[in-house]
Amino acid sequence: MTILFNLSYNTVYGEEIMLNIISGDDASTVEKFKMATRDGNTWTCTVNSLAKPGATLNYYYSVVKNGIETRREWLVEPHQLVMTSVKGINYNVHDNWIDIPEDSYLYSSAVTDCVAARKKGTLKPVDYSKTLKIKVRAPQLRSNERLAVMGEIAELGKWEALKAYPMTEQQPNEWVADIDATNITAEAFDLKFVVLDEKKDYTPMWENNNNRRIVMPKMKNGDVVAIEMGIALFSIYPWKAAGCVIPVFSLRSEGSFGVGDFGDLKMMIDWVAKTGQRVLQILPINDTNITHTWTDSYPYNSISIYALHPQYADLRQLPELKDKARREHYAALQKELNALPQIDYERVNNAKMEYLREIFAQEEAALTKKADFKSFFANNKEWLVPYAAFCYYRDLYGTATFSEWPDHHTLPDKEREAMSKPSTALYKKVAFWYFVQYVLDKQMRAAHDHARKNRVILKGDIPIGISRDGVEAWVEPRYFNLNGQAGAPPDAFSVNGQNWGFPTYNWDEMINDGCSWWVRRFTKMAEYFDAYRIDHVLGFFRIWEIPINAVHGLLGQFSPSLGMTAQEIESYGLHFNEDLYTRPFITDWTLDRMFGERAGEVKEKYLDRLDGERYQMKPEYDTQRKVEQAFKGVSEEKEIWLRDSLYAMISDVLFLRDRKDEKKFHPRIGVQHDFIYESLHDSDKYLFNRLYNDYFYRRNNQFWYYEAMKKLPRLTEATRMLVCAEDLGMVPDCVPWVMNQLRILSLEIQSMPKDDKVRFGHLSRNPYRSVCTISTHDMSTLRQWWDEDYAQTQDYYNSMLHRGGAAPHPLPGWLAKEIVSRHLTSPSMLCLLSLQDWLSIDEKLRLPDADAERINIPANPRHYWRYRMHMTIEQLMAADNLNDTIKELVAQSGRK
């Protein structure tokens, strides 16, 4: 079989086009063919193939210059050629270059497998002597619609829509028609695509452009001409949807065990579908068990990027315990824990783990024989075995900090192999963890399938970091910088910045192997979700890296970033005194201002004289971590104040030395509030501020753009999930450049506008490719926010809601409904509201204490994540007035 590939692409001098035929399940394994051209515009390549009729060929084109790939097509949905012709021996294929489309979201599984899921057809073999294969992409079609092609020739119905030639969807949104060209005598003919519906009384919808025209080449028997035509567009309103955001742990049903579980998730999906919503967004669901205490409740500090948290196991779906006394024990405990207003993390997790161990002991013999367990283990053992080993040694040695283990600072290959064989003693020691993950995987997949059947998009959350006391840091340390801490610079959430404690990524190592670590992570997530939120997407441009000896985020610097030499600093007119500007600025007057009557105590205990004017910290207190250790266990308020003041004193520097090059420097973030800045002359303050603004808002923009483009395109193309991002905080200009280029949905919050010229965002200006919300898990809920700052609320009431008079407090339900309605009618593709904000519209149902609805306080790194909805999902399903109101609001906004 001979295949002639044709592509129109305008190249510049030195560029070549490569044909890449994909030989595996993804685009990582390809066979490359160099194409030829005479004019730099029309490129051709002939491939002799051993493929048989019925075979499928997936391929893409790329641009190469000097042997380096400089550009390639969109890989989420590459070209596909199905060899349907039984008699075809010569294929003549005409393709168009495929860039990432503006409406790429319509190709995501969120649309194609959920809200617009259609029954996929199968291309049937044809035995025509001559075959014309027409291909076209039509992404706007809804679940009940199909595509056909009609035209002026008899084979295409002679312009009668009801006689149009039916097409088959061979891959999402790509339709194909195999037409018998044996009797086509016309040298050229016009055609058009038309949308048909399964309903009998449906009026056919014609595409919105002039007639298309095909010029027929000369064909002989055995020829197949495949023509890929430009996208078909129709008068269909852009899709928009509403949804709900709630962590799985916050769910409550009558049968859950003190915490939300994957069974509750299925019930919550039912509520979302019932109210006309189409998206259910949850927080990360990975295992976070490090200490087995409530501090593990933080869902963004997972010990594995693959393993699911055991607390989410729905015990109702497991076999019944045979021991009657134990059954009764757990039944009583379930009622007790489920009645608590908040989650008791330690009691709940201890009880669930105990139950799982008893079930495992009861069912182990039968389990290992199950085909689906064997399949699960085989498909996941690359991460499952290290995870199980980590959990075993964590519990054996009493700590997850693997550097403190007496041995097993890594996982030997022999142990890994032994843990994979059921006949070994090591396997038996870790098999319990295989069982737990098997149960969780099965239940989460069932929830995902349930969501798809109800046309609900299940949206997950990918944390930016991993735990330094976790599996990945243990077995793949080359991917991480364990001597740094990831966090965020000061913002509305925290004046000292945030220190998440995660190690930062070694991006050079990750990029060297094609970001395979991230691709594996995203691929696993796609087994459970059809959309995802990239937590802190700014971290893919640059991460706020804090030294390991710091507690707060103020001593961080962006990594990577372009540090400044002393000469560059002085080019702004600012004399650079390295010793003065890089040491903590501690003088008698700053001590008096900061500590008052305790200044003498601080000088004597914590400081040494540096020179006639300045002091320096004693060596035993010269970092924030040393101070933290000195105050360990202290709880008196005045001593906590002293500790925090010492932290602030240590961070009082004008410049920070670059982590990699000691001859380069970075201005310290937010230093304008500190004493060293106050000590500057007004002229130097002006010069420093100019340097500061250039550094943080302009200097690194192009550099960070290229950094992000090394990583994000590979990740967004790794799966067909809908890509959304949390792009809040100190956002450089290059972030929207990249997000627009890759068609990533932004996050829009009216109370946190990205336009610094306005106090509140204008909802009507939200970009279509965005997620609109009122609050996130890191923020006050709508009701809390309304009562936090009366002056701010009054301004919002008058300027945004266009109402006169005094704003009512607390927030009445009717006004909450108006705010929700305004958000729903915004142009944003998705409007996703927290359950708390949905409930705010019903004064009878919402929780009386608005402050009890807060999920997280970012300024507190040891916050206890224990919020749980105050009513059961069964009660929520029966709340007809609320549900009817939500359904009406969603319908009125045009979201469906």
Side-chain angles (χ1 to χ4, degrees):
M1 182 184 295
T2 300
I3 309 173
L4 173 63
F5 293 91
N6 301 267
L7 177 72
S8 293
Y9 185 95
N10 287 316
T11 53
V12 299
Y13 181 76
E15 288 183 337
E16 294 181 299
I17 301 296
M18 299 293 293
L19 166 68
N20 306 272
I21 298 179
I22 300 170
S23 54
D25 293 333
D26 56 53
S28 61
T29 307
V30 298
E31 187 177 1
K32 296 178 179 290
F33 298 88
K34 185 181 291 188
M35 303 189 77
T37 184
R38 292 183 176 180
D39 57 7
N41 179 24
T42 302
W43 294 81
T44 61
C45 177
T46 301
V47 175
N48 293 314
S49 175
L50 298 177
K52 297 179 179 179
T56 298
L57 203 65
N58 294 298
Y59 59 96
Y60 66 93
Y61 299 100
S62 59
V63 180
V64 173
K65 189 171 184 178
N66 298 324
I68 299 173
E69 184 178 274
T70 59
R71 190 178 183 218
R72 67 181 182 186
E73 292 186 293
W74 188 48
L75 295 186
V76 170
E77 193 163 301
H79 301 273
Q80 186 174 94
L81 178 65
V82 181
M83 316 290 194
T84 49
S85 176
V86 175
K87 298 178 179 178
I89 55 174
N90 298 304
Y91 278 76
N92 188 351
V93 180
H94 298 262
D95 287 325
N96 301 310
W97 178 275
I98 300 176
D99 266 326
I100 179 171
E102 281 293 328
D103 55 4
S104 61
Y105 65 93
L106 291 175
Y107 294 82
S108 71
S109 62
V111 175
T112 62
D113 297 347
C114 293
V115 295
R118 292 182 291 270
K119 292 180 180 179
K120 298 294 187 292
T122 302
L123 286 171
K124 298 178 181 179
V126 295
D127 60 354
Y128 310 142
S129 298
K130 304 173 185 176
T131 305
L132 173 63
K133 183 185 290 285
I134 298 176
K135 294 199 299 180
V136 69
R137 297 192 175 196
Q140 295 171 287
L141 271 63
R142 292 157 292 200
S143 60
N144 56 326
E145 296 171 334
R146 56 186 176 83
L147 197 68
V149 57
M150 60 181 176
E152 60 179 314
I153 59 176
E155 287 80 358
L156 299 184
K158 291 190 174 181
W159 294 119
E160 291 188 44
L162 296 181
K163 293 182 180 180
Y165 196 95
M167 304 186 77
T168 301
E169 191 174 14
Q170 71 171 12
Q171 59 177 337
N173 297 326
E174 184 170 76
W175 298 78
V176 178
D178 287 314
I179 300 166
D180 186 355
T182 307
N183 298 317
I184 296 178
T185 57
E187 295 182 358
F189 59 89
D190 286 0
L191 70 153
K192 217 163 195 166
F193 297 102
V194 61
V195 174
L196 303 177
D197 195 285
E198 295 171 357
K199 301 174 185 175
K200 294 181 179 180
D201 57 348
Y202 178 78
T203 302
M205 185 187 306
W206 295 46
E207 61 176 321
N208 294 332
N209 56 6
N210 295 328
N211 291 349
R212 300 169 185 259
R213 190 164 183 80
I214 287 181
V215 177
M216 290 293 293
K218 292 182 178 180
M219 299 177 67
K220 58 182 182 298
N221 289 341
D223 282 356
V224 179
V225 174
I227 300 177
E228 186 176 77
M229 311 200 80
I231 188 170
L233 297 174
F234 300 90
S235 298
I236 297 176
Y237 186 77
W239 172 74
K240 297 199 300 181
C244 181
V245 184
I246 186 169
V248 174
F249 61 75
S250 297
L251 298 174
R252 182 193 297 270
S253 71
E254 293 175 2
S256 50
F257 209 106
V259 67
D261 57 42
F262 291 151
D264 294 340
L265 184 59
K266 292 174 75 172
M267 296 171 64
M268 194 65 184
I269 289 165
D270 291 336
W271 178 77
V272 167
K274 181 176 182 177
T275 52
Q277 301 178 69
R278 282 284 170 260
V279 186
L280 179 57
Q281 178 179 325
I282 60 177
L283 267 55
I285 53 176
N286 297 103
D287 190 352
T288 58
N289 280 313
I290 296 174
T291 65
H292 298 304
T293 66
W294 67 265
T295 58
D296 296 342
S297 65
Y298 179 34
Y300 289 87
N301 191 30
S302 63
I303 63 168
S304 169
I305 60 173
Y306 306 106
L308 303 177
H309 201 304
Q311 72 175 352
Y312 298 128
D314 180 7
L315 305 185
R316 295 164 291 187
Q317 297 184 45
L318 298 179
E320 186 176 71
L321 281 173
K322 295 177 182 177
D323 187 321
K324 182 180 178 183
R326 298 303 292 165
R327 283 205 311 271
E328 292 174 350
H329 162 74
Y330 285 114
L333 188 57
Q334 181 269 331
K335 289 181 180 178
E336 179 188 348
L337 294 174
N338 214 35
L340 297 175
Q342 295 178 305
I343 300 166
D344 186 331
Y345 185 89
E346 293 175 25
R347 290 189 66 201
V348 164
N349 277 270
N350 288 339
K352 281 201 156 186
M353 290 305 295
E354 187 179 6
Y355 188 97
L356 287 167
R357 287 188 182 277
E358 292 185 31
I359 284 290
F360 175 67
Q362 176 181 294
E363 303 292 328
E364 180 182 7
L367 172 72
T368 54
K369 298 176 182 178
K370 287 187 175 182
D372 60 344
F373 174 79
K374 292 179 180 179
S375 175
F376 166 76
F377 184 84
N379 293 333
N380 295 277
K381 69 177 181 179
E382 291 302 317
W383 66 264
L384 185 61
V385 173
Y387 164 77
F390 181 88
C391 292
Y392 171 71
Y393 291 124
R394 173 199 62 198
D395 296 345
L396 178 67
Y397 298 130
T399 178
T401 305
F402 51 85
S403 60
E404 297 178 2
W405 294 349
D407 49 30
H408 291 98
H409 294 159
T410 186
L411 181 61
D413 289 341
K414 286 187 178 180
E415 282 197 20
R416 185 192 291 252
E417 185 178 352
M419 289 177 175
S420 302
K421 295 180 178 178
S423 59
T424 65
L426 272 176
Y427 179 94
K428 291 176 173 58
K429 289 180 178 180
V430 298
F432 168 70
W433 298 105
Y434 301 156
F435 162 72
V436 170
Q437 289 303 313
Y438 160 72
V439 166
L440 292 164
D441 177 82
K442 190 173 184 178
Q443 292 184 1
M444 185 59 202
R445 285 177 181 273
H448 184 209
D449 290 343
H450 186 68
R452 284 187 167 183
K453 288 174 183 175
N454 283 274
R455 300 192 185 279
V456 170
I457 301 165
L458 205 52
K459 182 183 176 188
D461 194 338
I462 295 186
I464 185 60
I466 60 109
S467 174
R468 65 178 59 252
D469 296 326
V471 182
E472 283 73 38
W474 180 44
V475 298
E476 299 178 297
R478 69 186 184 278
Y479 289 134
F480 310 102
N481 298 315
L482 296 172
N483 59 350
Q485 305 175 93
D491 56 21
F493 297 129
S494 177
V495 294
N496 289 321
Q498 298 177 51
N499 184 350
W500 303 322
F502 310 138
T504 55
Y505 293 113
N506 181 356
W507 280 113
D508 292 338
E509 184 69 26
M510 288 184 160
I511 291 169
N512 282 343
D513 71 1
C515 291
S516 63
W517 185 88
W518 283 96
V519 171
R520 294 195 304 271
R521 185 180 187 182
F522 279 54
T523 302
K524 182 62 180 175
M525 196 168 187
E527 295 177 10
Y528 305 132
F529 301 100
D530 287 301
Y532 63 93
R533 165 191 178 269
I534 302 177
D535 171 46
H536 194 65
V537 73
L538 305 184
F540 290 91
F541 295 76
R542 77 292 184 274
I543 196 70
W544 189 247
E545 188 173 54
I546 303 162
I548 199 69
N549 58 19
V551 174
H552 287 163
L554 290 174
L555 290 173
Q557 58 187 242
F558 287 123
S559 177
S561 61
L562 304 173
M564 305 181 75
T565 64
Q567 291 77 11
E568 285 181 291
I569 293 171
E570 295 200 335
S571 70
Y572 283 84
L574 179 68
H575 174 64
F576 183 62
N577 185 331
E578 182 177 334
D579 181 68
L580 175 64
Y581 290 163
T582 59
R583 285 180 179 270
F585 185 69
I586 310 172
T587 67
D588 287 313
W589 68 270
T590 65
L591 290 168
D592 289 339
R593 288 263 298 276
M594 183 176 285
F595 297 100
E597 60 183 21
R598 299 189 71 176
E601 173 193 345
V602 171
K603 290 178 189 178
E604 181 178 349
K605 185 172 182 179
Y606 300 103
L607 302 175
D608 288 331
R609 266 287 178 186
L610 178 62
D611 54 37
E613 183 180 358
R614 296 179 296 161
Y615 297 86
Q616 64 181 359
M617 302 296 295
K618 288 182 183 292
E620 58 267 37
Y621 301 110
D622 62 358
T623 71
Q624 291 182 341
R625 287 294 178 199
K626 290 179 180 180
V627 171
E628 180 185 48
Q629 187 63 30
F631 282 78
K632 190 174 183 180
V634 171
S635 58
E636 293 181 55
E637 188 173 335
K638 64 178 183 179
E639 294 304 303
I640 297 296
W641 170 83
L642 176 61
R643 181 201 66 187
D644 291 348
S645 298
L646 292 173
Y647 288 164
M649 191 163 63
I650 291 171
S651 64
D652 194 354
V653 297
L654 199 67
F655 285 92
L656 299 166
R657 204 176 294 277
D658 188 86
R659 306 273 187 270
K660 296 181 178 179
D661 186 345
E662 63 178 13
K663 294 183 179 180
K664 291 183 178 179
F665 306 88
H666 306 260
R668 206 217 76 192
I669 191 82
V671 73
Q672 290 86 344
H673 302 292
D674 285 15
F675 291 123
I676 192 167
Y677 178 83
E678 184 181 332
S679 72
L680 298 176
H681 294 296
D682 286 347
S683 59
D684 285 342
K685 288 179 182 176
Y686 168 78
L687 295 171
F688 176 79
N689 287 340
R690 192 162 66 88
L691 174 154
Y692 181 96
N693 290 332
D694 278 349
Y695 173 84
F696 281 112
Y697 298 104
R698 288 179 282 275
R699 177 182 178 86
N700 291 284
N701 259 325
Q702 203 65 36
F703 175 65
W704 286 337
Y705 167 83
Y706 287 117
E707 284 297 311
M709 291 303 290
K710 291 177 186 176
K711 312 157 191 170
L712 283 173
R714 303 185 189 206
L715 309 189
T716 57
E717 290 183 349
T719 72
R720 289 181 50 244
M721 290 187 290
L722 178 65
V723 189
C724 310
E726 179 264 291
D727 55 338
L728 305 177
M730 196 173 180
V731 183
D733 290 346
C734 60
V735 172
W737 304 347
V738 172
M739 290 181 62
N740 283 329
Q741 188 170 339
L742 300 181
R743 317 295 190 252
I744 299 173
L745 274 65
S746 64
L747 180 61
E748 306 298 327
I749 302 176
Q750 191 175 24
S751 60
M752 296 179 64
K754 292 172 182 171
D755 182 355
D756 57 9
K757 300 180 181 63
V758 299
R759 188 171 188 181
F760 306 108
H762 292 272
L763 295 173
S764 61
R765 299 177 189 172
N766 284 4
Y768 171 67
R769 201 160 47 232
S770 70
V771 177
C772 170
T773 193
I774 297 174
S775 64
T776 73
H777 62 270
D778 281 333
M779 299 170 61
S780 303
T781 63
L782 172 59
R783 291 167 63 204
Q784 278 185 303
W785 177 82
W786 190 263
D787 287 337
E788 283 176 348
D789 184 334
Y790 276 37
Q792 176 179 252
T793 300
Q794 188 64 50
D795 186 2
Y796 181 83
Y797 185 73
N798 299 142
S799 63
M800 294 289 105
L801 301 181
H802 308 293
R803 291 183 175 274
H809 290 276
L811 179 67
W814 63 266
L815 192 53
K817 178 181 176 182
E818 180 179 338
I819 294 171
V820 166
S821 177
R822 286 174 178 268
H823 280 76
L824 286 169
T825 54
S826 74
S828 297
M829 182 192 305
L830 302 179
C831 180
L832 308 182
L833 307 182
S834 69
L835 178 65
Q836 300 95 305
D837 289 344
W838 278 121
L839 291 174
S840 69
I841 68 179
D842 193 317
E843 295 183 34
K844 294 180 180 178
L845 286 181
R846 68 191 193 186
L847 189 64
D849 181 9
D851 291 335
E853 294 182 327
R854 183 77 184 253
I855 294 177
N856 180 41
I857 302 175
N860 178 9
R862 290 177 60 81
H863 180 75
Y864 193 169
W865 296 62
R866 61 190 314 199
Y867 164 73
R868 205 161 179 224
M869 57 191 290
H870 65 286
M871 59 193 304
T872 66
I873 303 175
E874 290 90 343
Q875 292 170 326
L876 187 61
M877 290 288 285
D880 292 338
N881 288 338
L882 172 69
N883 295 336
D884 290 344
T885 299
I886 292 175
K887 192 169 185 177
E888 182 181 9
L889 287 171
V890 171
Q892 288 175 346
S893 68
R895 297 181 181 273
K896 55 185 178 180

